[in-house]
Amino acid sequence: MESIQAIKQRFGIIGNTPTLNRAIEKAIQVAPTDISVLVTGESGVGKESIPKIIHQLSHRKHNKYIAVNCGAIPEGTIDSELFGHEKGAFTGATQTREGYFEVADGGTIFLDEVGELPLTTQVRLLRVLENGEFLKVGSSKVQKTNVRIVAATNVNMFEAIEKEKFREDLYYRLSTVDINLPPLRERQDDIHLLFRKFASDFALKYKMPTVKLTDSAVQVLTKHRWNGNIRQLRNIAEQVSVLEQNRTISAETLNGYLPASTTNLPAVIKTSKSKSDFSSEREILYKVLFDMKSDLSDLKKLTMELMKNGNTKDVEKKNESLIQKIYGDDDDDIHDFEESVTNTELLSIPEHTSKIEEPMSTQDKYHFAEEIEEEETLSIHDKELELIKKSLERHSGKRKLAAAELGISERTLYRKIKQYDL
Ligand SMILES: Nc1ncnc2c1ncn2[C@@H]1O[C@H](COP(=O)(O)OP(=O)(O)OP(=O)(O)O)[C@@H](O)[C@H]1O
Ligand SMILES: [Mg+2]
């Protein structure tokens, strides 16, 4: 039997945490049997290498290995993909087609995201698992196949069973052996090891020197929560490798690439949509709302000027900054950065030099309108200020990242920072 170390090398698996070693050991042990295996673990922990190990170490290795992403196939076609169909079974079925279970006879099928299978497909799958029998879609002829199934899921299957989205009998049939892969935050000793491996791979790929972390950056790396696990770590290693000129990465630089407040401290693990998702959605809505309100308030001011003055040229001249703010914000030319800062102050509307005689009632009406406007603008500004502050905090003052999060250009953010004196 191949050793765990040899398997890791062969399948490019990095890490030495006992729980990872245990998972690989289990895969090696069950490989020669035909037992169904369910691989569990959060998204990005590396579940996809387990079925490959199982297939390669089994007597099926010379036959087909087919990986099917159950979540990516539309519900209407999944039965036909898996079990095939007869000619004329449905509109467009012009030919008889073999499904994966027929093609992979003698081999292994990896059913990724098995929790996404529709209930009707689950019934068909249960039958194959129990006696190797299946029917093509549109056929009544029972066919036989000899396929080994390894499934994987990152969803809580008990919850799915509870909600009647997954058949309990199928779950037990699939998970004769359960191989669980630990989340990255529980593999602290492996984090830096993985980063170094990815950094060296990307250095080779992009023909650049390998990035290195300072000691404090290593601390940041290992304390991070890594909700996206190894996939997220790999992405960050790639970003840092490509974008950083200075190849020695400080904690501060690294922090700029990490989503905020996800250090590896005890925290409630999200199982479903949590409050924080909701609050960030709310923040986005606030942002859209304050942008709209601010535009509206600017337009109101302009309209009022036009009504009072009548002369378009004068109004244009007087409200140059306002017009620029409303209409001229899309040309993200970094050269006129400074200029736009002074040009686009939200409240820098010139006072009305209202020498023109107006009937009292109209003046009153405008006066009233302006008061409301000012109040609205103030609360909008508070909200905006809060959003900007939070975003800058989250990204340790990195404007580029904050601007991306807020959905505004860096220039606009720069302008607002000046405006609020941040
Ligand atoms: N131990 C490891 N060593 C090196 N690379 C790894 C390791 N584990 C995972 N990876 C890499 O991390 C990425 C994510 O792994 P994988 O696709 O297997 O995740 P997964 O568990 O299937 O996630 P999901 O549930 O989202 O499908 C892949 O690029 C994979 O090569
Ligand atoms: Mg996967």
Side-chain angles (χ1 to χ4, degrees):
M1 196 187 282
E2 269 184 79
S3 73
I4 297 178
Q5 287 312 323
I7 291 293
K8 281 191 208 165
Q9 211 158 21
R10 190 166 148 198
F11 290 88
I13 300 170
I14 310 290
N16 215 10
T17 308
T19 41
L20 172 74
N21 288 345
R22 178 70 195 119
I24 297 171
E25 191 183 18
K26 257 182 159 180
I28 299 172
Q29 284 170 333
V30 293
T33 71
D34 276 340
I35 295 174
S36 306
V37 177
L38 182 66
V39 189
T40 55
E42 289 177 19
S43 181
V45 288
K47 294 187 288 296
E48 276 162 46
S49 28
I50 299 292
K52 288 182 192 151
I53 297 174
I54 293 175
H55 178 72
Q56 284 303 325
L57 300 190
S58 75
H59 59 86
R60 298 171 178 268
K61 69 177 176 192
H62 298 297
N63 295 322
K64 284 230 155 39
Y65 170 81
I66 298 181
V68 186
N69 187 338
C70 304
I73 304 175
E75 191 166 338
T77 52
I78 195 152
D79 283 357
S80 151
E81 292 278 330
L82 293 176
F83 306 103
H85 62 247
E86 280 299 332
K87 184 176 173 180
F90 47 84
T91 326
T94 49
Q95 299 288 330
T96 296
R97 182 187 179 279
E98 285 185 342
Y100 301 139
F101 275 90
E102 197 167 344
V103 176
D105 194 8
T108 309
I109 289 188
F110 169 40
L111 295 175
D112 202 1
E113 294 188 37
V114 74
E116 302 291 320
L117 277 182
L119 282 163
T120 47
T121 315
Q122 291 179 30
V123 179
R124 285 175 180 269
L125 181 60
L126 189 62
R127 185 164 176 188
V128 186
L129 278 163
E130 276 176 345
N131 49 28
E133 287 178 2
F134 70 96
L135 297 175
K136 274 196 172 83
V137 176
S139 163
S140 51
K141 191 175 132 226
V142 176
Q143 288 183 246
K144 278 278 206 183
T145 188
N146 173 7
V147 169
R148 202 264 181 86
I149 299 204
V150 182
T153 181
N154 58 27
V155 301
N156 184 334
M157 293 299 270
F158 292 110
E159 236 173 59
I161 293 168
E162 189 100 327
K163 289 182 186 154
E164 298 186 352
K165 286 190 174 157
F166 206 85
R167 290 180 66 107
E168 193 172 5
D169 47 5
L170 178 60
Y171 169 75
Y172 286 113
R173 196 69 189 69
L174 282 173
S175 62
T176 313
V177 167
D178 183 353
I179 298 185
N180 179 259
L181 284 171
L184 190 55
R185 65 185 158 277
E186 287 171 17
R187 295 172 53 186
Q188 292 222 351
D189 292 343
D190 290 344
I191 298 178
H192 191 207
L193 204 64
L194 278 155
F195 183 90
R196 289 207 302 268
K197 158 84 169 83
F198 294 141
S200 126
D201 288 351
F202 290 122
L204 213 65
K205 181 173 173 189
Y206 298 113
K207 301 188 174 58
M208 291 163 104
T210 312
V211 288
K212 283 203 170 57
L213 301 179
T214 61
D215 289 349
S216 50
V218 174
Q219 290 290 317
V220 169
L221 195 81
T222 39
K223 290 282 169 289
H224 191 70
R225 253 194 86 76
W226 299 111
N227 288 334
N229 293 294
I230 301 172
R231 183 178 292 119
Q232 185 190 11
L233 178 67
R234 192 171 181 274
N235 286 347
I236 295 216
E238 182 164 25
Q239 286 178 42
V240 174
S241 301
V242 173
L243 299 175
E244 286 305 314
Q245 302 264 314
N246 183 348
R247 307 306 277 174
T248 303
I249 310 299
S250 67
E252 200 201 354
T253 307
L254 182 64
N255 261 323
Y257 288 88
L258 301 174
S261 65
T262 48
T263 49
N264 196 6
L265 295 169
V268 182
I269 302 199
K270 285 196 271 178
T271 49
S272 56
K273 266 207 165 266
S274 70
K275 264 193 179 158
S276 74
D277 285 337
F278 176 67
S279 73
S280 73
E281 269 171 32
R282 196 171 52 193
E283 280 180 14
I284 292 166
L285 284 175
Y286 270 138
K287 190 195 148 341
V288 173
L289 212 63
F290 84 63
D291 276 350
M292 273 168 62
K293 279 201 155 192
S294 161
D295 280 353
L296 195 68
S297 140
D298 291 335
L299 284 167
K300 269 202 247 170
K301 278 184 179 160
L302 259 184
T303 319
M304 209 143 46
E305 281 285 297
L306 275 168
M307 280 163 66
K308 277 184 176 179
N309 204 317
N311 184 336
T312 324
K313 278 264 176 294
D314 278 0
V315 175
E316 223 178 292
K317 209 167 160 207
K318 229 166 114 187
N319 296 285
E320 213 178 316
S321 56
L322 195 60
I323 292 169
Q324 147 100 23
K325 178 179 175 287
I326 306 173
Y327 299 104
D329 209 30
D330 290 333
D331 56 337
D332 271 3
D333 188 351
I334 223 79
H335 300 302
D336 55 33
F337 225 49
E338 282 300 331
E339 193 193 325
S340 70
V341 171
T342 46
N343 262 350
T344 53
E345 299 275 282
L346 192 72
L347 291 171
S348 69
I349 317 285
E351 288 283 359
H352 305 305
T353 46
S354 136
K355 289 215 173 86
I356 314 152
E357 284 294 325
E358 281 171 351
M360 196 58 185
S361 60
T362 330
Q363 255 182 356
D364 280 346
K365 207 163 69 197
Y366 289 150
H367 180 68
F368 177 65
E370 285 211 316
E371 259 179 19
I372 294 188
E373 218 167 69
E374 183 118 355
E375 246 180 55
E376 277 178 353
T377 316
L378 272 177
S379 60
I380 288 163
H381 281 194
D382 288 346
K383 205 72 231 174
E384 180 178 47
L385 179 63
E386 195 188 313
L387 273 174
I388 292 172
K389 265 190 184 165
K390 267 195 192 163
S391 182
L392 284 167
E393 260 169 44
R394 264 200 292 277
H395 297 288
S396 323
K398 287 212 174 341
R399 286 186 197 142
K400 198 175 197 162
L401 297 171
E405 184 182 61
L406 292 165
I408 55 179
S409 68
E410 228 184 316
R411 189 177 89 173
T412 308
L413 179 62
Y414 185 76
R415 203 180 66 222
K416 296 207 182 271
I417 289 170
K418 286 267 172 187
Q419 183 182 337
Y420 292 121
D421 212 11
L422 282 171

